[in-house]
Amino acid sequence: MREEYLLAALRMGVGADPVPENVSAAARAAFDLRVPGGVPARPVDLPVPPGTRSSPAAETAQPGVRRFSADGLVIDIETTVAGGRLEVAGQVSPAPGPDARVEVRTPHIAKVRVPSGTGHFAVAGLPPGWVSVVCHRPDHPPVFTRWIHVRG
Amino acid sequence: MSADNSFALLDQDVWEDLVARFDGRMWAVARAFGLSAADAADAVQGAWLRLVESADTIRDPERIGAWLVTTTRHEAARLSRKARGEVVSDMDVPDTALPDPTAAVVDADFGRHVWRRLDLLGEPCRSLIRLYVLHPEARYAQIAIRLNLPVGSIGPTRARCMARLRALVEEEAR
């Protein structure tokens, strides 16, 4: 039996530290973040540059950069937090064409960008926390990345 | 099973029922890692987001509750390590087919049972655990003052007392 579970049960047993309403509201709202018919892009380890010490944490290959792949599409995401706001830049490969849209989502806000001719996109001014990217292409199901957690 | 079919299993009513049944347990698990309220909220939200993205892998809806608790523990542990400055990967997610079966103990009824077991422990365990449980934001220094113990002894004593309590509960379950 895990100590954390025992401690959690003890707190629940006396109603100590109940779940805040905003946490419950966020849980209910998460239902609307599903991407029906979407294809989940799985994380892919980035190649570690020569001379770099290997690490089990994929993100250490290139700090802040994560790669996801599905349905013949690769989505690279680089995240930074500046001035308390989250910036997300990335590239969809192969470039998905002029009719594609890239949606960068947090649980609270989504911003849509038309990727450049090389598949690049960038979004700034997001609240730090959980973020995911969805690529919408004509005649293809949307491809969405895993949610990743970014704080300053 | 396609993603669409899985989401059919998880319609709005089922989702809200899951929230009503499990968000309190998930919050308690996240806070048991010593996370601040903001970090615990992130851990709980992370578990729900994992459910959103993993729906196509869920074969047994009866296991969702245990998986949510397991996934909250996973996210809370990751945030806790990150808060300590460790480099952690956010790429691994618990297998939806293998939720931790011991997650079932995160329950108010079981908690009341454990409180009765706690009364069997002597001091300072009884008072220390009581303070630690009832005041999640309390610092070791504050607990040390209340119990008149050296601050450096609080962490090791707490670990020892929790181990004794856990042994007591597990012994009874055999």
Side-chain angles (χ1 to χ4, degrees), chain A residues 3 17 24 59 146 151, chain B residues 23 31 42 88 91 158:
Chain A
E3 181 183 312
D17 193 27
S24 300
E59 63 185 352
R146 177 168 290 171
R151 287 280 184 202
Chain B
D23 73 338
R31 292 284 276 166
D42 274 358
V88 294
M91 297 303 191
R158 184 190 69 84

Side-chain angles (χ1 to χ4, degrees), chain A residues 68-136:
Chain A
F68 301 86
S69 178
D71 202 23
L73 208 64
V74 172
I75 304 175
D76 287 330
I77 303 172
E78 183 172 14
T79 57
T80 51
V81 177
R85 306 301 284 173
L86 172 63
E87 297 175 1
V88 179
Q91 183 176 19
V92 178
S93 309
D99 295 327
R101 297 291 181 270
V102 173
E103 183 184 7
V104 180
R105 311 184 302 162
T106 75
H108 310 287
I109 188 173
K111 294 192 177 186
V112 177
R113 294 288 182 268
V114 178
S116 71
T118 53
H120 285 88
F121 61 91
V123 169
L126 296 169
W130 292 99
V131 64
S132 168
V133 172
V134 188
C135 181
H136 301 271

Side-chain angles (χ1 to χ4, degrees), chain B residues 13-31:
Chain B
D13 290 341
V14 171
W15 188 276
E16 294 201 0
D17 181 57
L18 284 171
V19 174
R21 287 167 59 197
F22 293 103
D23 73 338
R25 301 170 207 226
M26 294 160 72
W27 173 257
V29 167
R31 292 284 276 166

